[in-house]
Amino acid sequence: MEFGRLPEDELNKIDFKLPTDPAFNKKILKGKPAGKPKVYVGCAKWGRLEWLGKIYPLKTKEKDFLDHYVHHYNSIELNATHYKVYGPRGIQKWAAKANGRDFLFCPKMFQGVTHRGSLKGKDFILNEFLRGIVAFEKHLGPIFVQVSDTFSPKRKDELFGFLKSLPTDLQFFLEVRHPGWFGKEEITEELFSTLKEINMGAVITDTAGHRDCAHMYLTIPKTFIRYVGNSLDRTDFPRIDDWVSRIKYWLDNGIKEIYFFMHMHDEEKSPELTIYLVDKLNKVCGLDLQKPKFINEEKYSTLLH
């Protein structure tokens, strides 16, 4: 992910501390743990050639990458669906790779719907997108709706009308990026109040160059976190520690589902930081999440110490 990328020498100038929870979240969290909260951790793609010899056997063919990915993560933020509309048959083949596992695919809505012109008049292509992804069946997680960086609050009526038209039997999360959504309290509150009203989640994006997108709003008792690391820069680890503390607080106060997706500007290093994250979550939050396993444990584990 290039969104929010900064030169390495500027990272130490950024205040990465997460904002405190807005008062809004008290409408969502009940103040006591939920029965059996679900926590999912993943990346945005499984087709990473850089992981050959690291977490994928060296001679693995690309068509078999997903077979190995599901042994290291329990979810994927599926960016592939943003660039192409897949039919049910292709989706079913992917879903079959996760048979017998508590694994969720969280598809990103097709860019032809969200990034090309108006959100209005997209019924046909939207229905084709949805017709494909529902074939994930029990392995379908939340659907991720992203609007472009230039999509400002001046188009809020268009956005809210589109969101309200989406099927209510599927779970959606929205990511907005334009700074106008976060510059004025009344605009921010209207956005998240609308999402709460229609039972839609809010994506939280934690990236160096756009700190406003780490807004920490919960509009439903679920969250979808897009964490953008900086290739194991020294700032990455205290940032993860901060997230683990916040997740512990949310779990203690009633959040039901957490989706945490690891991004890197250099995706080669995503498994290392995922291991650090999962180890911390398991220890601090009493979870039992799976984590990537290196083929050469000795070679890569030293990078985390």
Side-chain angles (χ1 to χ4, degrees):
M1 185 196 288
E2 290 299 302
F3 180 66
R5 186 169 194 167
L6 293 178
E8 186 176 344
D9 60 0
E10 292 186 23
L11 294 176
N12 61 359
K13 303 174 186 177
I14 302 298
D15 180 5
F16 283 109
K17 188 69 178 173
L18 295 175
T20 57
D21 266 28
F24 185 97
N25 289 5
K26 293 180 181 178
K27 304 173 186 177
I28 307 299
L29 299 178
K30 302 304 181 184
K32 60 182 180 180
K36 290 185 178 180
K38 295 280 191 176
V39 179
Y40 292 91
V41 174
C43 295
K45 301 176 182 178
W46 62 72
R48 305 305 313 191
L49 294 173
E50 310 98 305
W51 296 347
L52 287 170
K54 176 178 280 191
I55 62 173
Y56 298 162
L58 195 56
K59 295 184 179 180
T60 304
K61 296 179 180 179
E62 283 195 62
K63 68 179 180 65
D64 299 322
F65 281 8
L66 180 55
D67 294 275
H68 295 281
Y69 179 92
V70 298
H71 289 274
H72 298 288
Y73 296 92
N74 64 356
S75 62
I76 180 119
E77 180 201 292
L78 189 56
N79 277 347
T81 54
H82 185 61
Y83 300 102
K84 175 182 174 181
V85 173
Y86 290 85
R89 183 173 298 180
I91 296 291
Q92 287 165 355
K93 288 180 180 179
W94 285 343
K97 306 281 189 179
N99 278 349
R101 294 181 171 274
D102 180 13
F103 184 98
L104 294 180
F105 295 83
C106 302
K108 187 175 181 181
M109 188 172 283
F110 178 55
Q111 62 182 351
V113 177
T114 58
H115 285 63
R116 297 177 186 166
S118 173
L119 295 172
K120 298 177 181 179
K122 297 293 182 65
D123 291 355
F124 175 78
I125 193 65
L126 174 62
N127 288 336
E128 286 299 292
F129 166 78
L130 294 173
R131 188 173 71 88
I133 63 162
V134 295
F136 278 123
E137 296 183 351
K138 65 182 179 182
H139 293 294
L140 177 62
I143 300 158
F144 165 33
V145 181
Q146 179 195 81
V147 291
S148 74
D149 306 15
T150 60
F151 198 110
S152 79
K154 293 179 180 179
R155 298 172 65 184
K156 68 178 184 178
D157 291 342
E158 177 190 343
L159 177 63
F160 295 163
F162 172 73
L163 298 178
K164 290 175 182 179
S165 76
L166 294 174
T168 56
D169 59 339
L170 298 172
Q171 180 67 71
F172 294 90
F173 277 80
L174 173 71
E175 180 188 44
V176 293
R177 293 178 162 188
H178 191 282
W181 294 105
F182 308 108
K184 294 183 178 179
E185 184 177 353
E186 60 268 27
I187 293 175
T188 304
E189 289 285 319
E190 182 181 12
L191 170 65
F192 294 122
S193 293
T194 300
L195 294 183
K196 177 179 180 292
E197 174 190 333
I198 60 176
N199 193 40
M200 188 171 293
V203 172
I204 299 172
T205 302
D206 182 350
T207 186
H210 289 271
R211 301 309 299 156
D212 50 359
C213 292
H215 52 75
M216 309 312 286
Y217 273 79
L218 302 176
T219 58
I220 56 177
K222 306 173 184 179
T223 190
F224 190 117
I225 300 155
R226 307 183 82 210
Y227 175 94
V228 187
N230 290 291
S231 303
L232 304 185
D233 181 82
R234 65 180 183 83
T235 58
D236 282 338
F237 300 98
R239 288 174 64 195
I240 291 293
D241 292 344
D242 200 9
W243 267 112
V244 170
S245 297
R246 187 61 56 92
I247 288 170
K248 174 68 162 62
Y249 172 78
W250 284 343
L251 288 169
D252 287 346
N253 283 275
I255 202 164
K256 295 178 180 178
E257 293 177 18
I258 295 171
Y259 300 86
F260 192 109
F261 294 107
M262 185 67 69
H263 292 257
M264 287 276 189
H265 302 306
D266 174 7
E267 295 289 359
E268 179 187 353
K269 305 291 180 60
S270 291
E272 285 92 326
L273 199 57
T274 305
I275 289 171
Y276 183 83
L277 166 70
V278 172
D279 281 343
K280 289 279 184 173
L281 285 173
N282 286 345
K283 181 178 180 180
V284 174
C285 303
L287 302 175
D288 187 25
L289 298 173
Q290 68 187 65
K291 62 183 178 180
K293 293 182 180 179
F294 296 131
I295 291 172
N296 185 338
E297 189 72 32
E298 184 177 351
K299 177 180 178 181
Y300 291 105
S301 62
T302 56
L303 295 174
L304 299 177
H305 300 288

